[in-house]
């Protein structure tokens, strides 16, 4: 069986439009590839990295079900040609989710970081963003202003704070501490099945630290 017949058979076995957690995907067979048009009638937040993964699962399940998984006719680039929503990597955050993240950011007013010493500081999230390095890595970026910092319960100036942050960023446990500190903020994104897939994706936090005058500490 050639690739064209295999793809036509696959499209006959799925419901059209393909419903992926509320997103509607419409396939169009184009020679040896499938193009997918997406509709979002319920204004759902999503990343096409994750949607692509759902399409790959759908096609893989079909291959297993029909016993065709190892047929050479599929070609090595089958997922690239048949399981991609658009040619540009992008994500969409609806207003509801954005407001939820903003509310959690507004309530994030203090942070503790531990190196050889312990920093406790009031803080303010200046801005935040998200991004995907690739299909497996989700990043949460935030700019964090530190005010009234104390190291081992003693108030310190911005020069001492700068030295601490510089040393902390080389701490082998820095990323783990930062992720723990903001986990409650990114939780709604990680719980969204169209933005994050717990079965194969990893999450990371990238924090840019600033002093009370807006000077970068990292």
């Amino acid at each position: 069986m050639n690739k064209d017949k295999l793809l036509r058979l696959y499209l006959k076995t799925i419901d059209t439009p393909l419903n992926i957690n509320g997103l509607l995907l419409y396939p169009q067979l184009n020679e040896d590839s499938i193009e997918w048009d997406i509709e979002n009638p319920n204004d759902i937040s999503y990343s096409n990295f994750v949607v692509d993964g759902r399409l790959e699962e759908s096609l893989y399940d079909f291959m297993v079900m029909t016993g065709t998984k190892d047929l050479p006719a599929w070609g090595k680039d089958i997922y690239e040609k048949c399981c991609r929503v658009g040619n540009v990597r992008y994500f969409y955050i609806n207003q509801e989710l954005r407001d939820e993240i903003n509310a959690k950011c507004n309530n994030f007013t203090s942070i503790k970081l531990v190196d050889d010493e312990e920093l406790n500081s009031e803080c303010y999230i200046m801005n935040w963003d998200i991004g995907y390095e690739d299909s497996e890595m989700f990043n949460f970026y935030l700019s964090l202003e530190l005010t009234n910092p104390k190291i081992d319960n003693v108030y310190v100036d911005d020069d001492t704070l700068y030295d601490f942050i510089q040393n902390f960023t080389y701490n082998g446990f820095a990323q783990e501490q930062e992720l723990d500190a903001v986990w409650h903020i990114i939780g709604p994104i990680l719980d969204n099945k169209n933005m994050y897939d717990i079965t194969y994706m990893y999450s990371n936090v990238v924090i840019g630290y600033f002093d009370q005058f807006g000077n970068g500490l990292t």
Side-chain angles (χ1 to χ4, degrees):
M1 186 177 295
N2 62 33
K3 186 176 182 179
D4 178 74
K5 290 183 178 179
L6 288 169
L7 291 178
R8 291 181 184 278
L9 180 60
Y10 164 65
L11 293 179
K12 286 182 179 180
T13 64
I14 63 174
D15 294 328
T16 304
L18 186 61
N19 189 321
I20 298 183
N21 301 313
L23 296 173
L24 305 181
L25 277 70
Y26 296 84
Q28 180 177 335
L29 186 61
N30 183 17
E31 295 183 355
D32 65 342
S33 64
I34 300 175
E35 296 180 2
W36 295 90
D37 294 323
I38 188 168
E39 289 186 3
N40 188 4
N42 299 312
D43 191 36
I44 294 171
S45 301
Y46 71 95
S47 161
N48 68 345
F49 264 123
V50 179
V51 175
D52 290 351
R54 306 294 185 200
L55 291 175
E56 290 183 12
E57 292 174 5
S58 173
L59 182 55
Y60 179 82
D61 289 344
F62 167 79
M63 293 176 177
V64 172
M65 179 185 68
T66 56
T68 61
K69 181 170 66 73
D70 298 321
L71 286 182
W74 286 115
K76 295 181 179 180
D77 58 352
I78 182 62
Y79 294 122
E80 290 292 332
K81 286 190 172 184
C82 298
C83 302
R84 296 293 178 265
V85 177
N87 297 318
V88 178
R89 292 303 179 203
Y90 64 90
F91 59 86
Y92 168 69
I93 303 178
N94 66 16
Q95 194 60 50
E96 180 181 2
L97 180 57
R98 190 172 296 277
D99 288 345
E100 185 175 2
I101 299 300
N102 285 337
K104 291 179 179 293
C105 287
N106 290 336
N107 290 328
F108 186 67
T109 58
S110 65
I111 189 170
K112 179 175 76 173
L113 303 174
V114 179
D115 194 20
D116 293 332
E117 302 168 302
E118 180 178 297
L119 169 72
N120 286 276
S121 178
E122 297 174 19
C123 64
Y124 167 71
I125 294 180
M126 303 159 63
N127 54 65
W128 62 271
D129 201 356
I130 70 170
Y132 296 81
E133 287 187 24
D134 51 39
S135 61
E136 296 183 356
M137 177 59 73
F138 165 81
N139 285 329
F140 184 74
Y141 303 94
L142 60 85
S143 299
L144 192 66
E145 178 184 293
L146 303 178
T147 56
N148 298 320
K150 292 192 294 184
I151 294 179
D152 291 340
N153 292 317
V154 177
Y155 285 105
V156 296
D157 59 23
D158 289 337
D159 289 336
T160 304
L161 175 62
Y162 175 85
D163 291 338
F164 177 91
I165 293 297
Q166 286 290 307
N167 291 329
F168 173 77
T169 56
Y170 291 100
N171 182 326
F173 299 100
Q175 283 192 332
E176 181 179 347
Q177 289 186 52
E178 291 172 334
L179 185 60
D180 287 344
V182 302
W183 186 261
H184 67 290
I185 297 177
I186 65 175
I189 298 176
L190 303 186
D191 290 339
N192 185 311
K193 294 181 180 180
N194 285 331
M195 297 201 74
Y196 189 82
D197 192 323
I198 62 174
T199 63
Y200 67 87
M201 295 185 74
Y202 302 89
S203 56
N204 183 42
V205 172
V206 181
I207 300 179
Y209 295 95
F210 296 82
D211 66 20
Q212 60 185 323
F213 301 107
N215 299 312
L217 300 171
T218 50

